[in-house]
Amino acid sequence: MKAYVYQERNSWFLRRDPRTKIMISLMLILASLVIFNFYRSIILLALIIIISIFAKIINKTIRSALVGIPFSAFIFLTEVIARYSWLFSASLSIRFFNLVISSSLFFTTLSPDEIEFITRWIKMPRDVSFVVVSSLRFIPLLATDLNQIVEVQMSRGLDLETRNPVKWLKNSLPIIIPLIVISVLRSQQMAEAIELRGYGASKKPTQLLEFKFNVADLALLLLIFVLVLMITV
């Protein structure tokens, strides 16, 4: 979960305009979907890693890679067992792997405030924008609550390492129920808070943050576009 949570860092890339970062993320995701050649996929993977290092989020990329490796390995073995060539199986595997880590760039380079700015820039309805941004803000809180509940219940002797699926589901109830209760309570607190702050009272509310698309954003966007185009075509 932490691999897909935004963390503030002092990085030139992260200081770029949100529209630049989201377009770069979407280009990498799209390239991961359309490229089937193994060698081109490897080059795209190298580009994603370079961007991650440049943005100082390589640790997040490594965590998302650890999530994608087992699934990529499963895809590779499945294709090999189905008697497809090793190169074709590897190309499908690395294609899925690229999709996982390029998707993580979307979440780790854009803060909830920046996503809210983008939703308003594309004229998304205000209520829909609020729901989207609030959901993204809840993800790290939900992950923290889950970790705390698991640690508390395991300290009380709860067995979550059993291989019996029926027993595992039964033992998961002491985790799921408190998590649902905490989420409901937090949503009620948020509803009261936005009501007290006059949400919806103004039809054209001001924005806390303003972003400007400058020459550096244009240069970076064109550079990544050309590189992705050269890899894809």
Side-chain angles (χ1 to χ4, degrees), residues 1-5 135-151 175 179 182-183 186:
M1 184 71 73
K2 292 182 179 180
Y4 294 90
V5 176
S135 300
L136 292 175
R137 292 184 186 276
F138 259 97
I139 292 175
L141 294 175
L142 193 65
T144 302
D145 292 337
L146 178 61
N147 290 333
Q148 292 177 348
I149 293 171
V150 169
E151 291 175 359
I175 295 175
L179 187 63
I182 292 174
S183 300
R186 183 171 280 119

Side-chain angles (χ1 to χ4, degrees), residues 8-99:
E8 189 70 33
R9 294 178 184 272
N10 184 20
S11 165
W12 181 85
F13 184 88
L14 295 183
R15 291 195 299 270
R16 294 303 93 212
D17 187 271
R19 290 162 290 193
T20 301
K21 293 187 288 185
I22 194 172
M23 283 189 280
I24 290 174
S25 299
L26 292 177
M27 281 193 291
L28 294 174
I29 292 173
L30 183 61
S32 302
L33 290 173
V34 300
I35 294 177
F36 286 89
N37 183 275
F38 174 75
Y39 302 104
R40 292 179 184 271
S41 297
I42 292 294
I43 297 174
L44 179 63
L45 174 61
L47 176 61
I48 296 172
I49 293 174
I50 291 172
I51 293 175
S52 301
I53 295 173
F54 190 60
K56 298 182 180 180
I57 55 169
I58 187 62
N59 58 332
K60 299 281 187 178
T61 304
I62 292 174
R63 287 180 178 178
S64 63
L66 293 177
V67 174
I69 286 175
F71 295 99
S72 298
F74 176 77
I75 293 173
F76 177 77
L77 293 175
T78 302
E79 297 300 319
V80 170
I81 293 173
R83 297 186 178 181
Y84 286 99
S85 67
W86 288 78
L87 188 61
F88 178 79
S89 303
S91 64
L92 288 182
S93 178
I94 196 68
R95 180 169 173 249
F96 175 81
F97 186 75
N98 285 343
L99 182 61

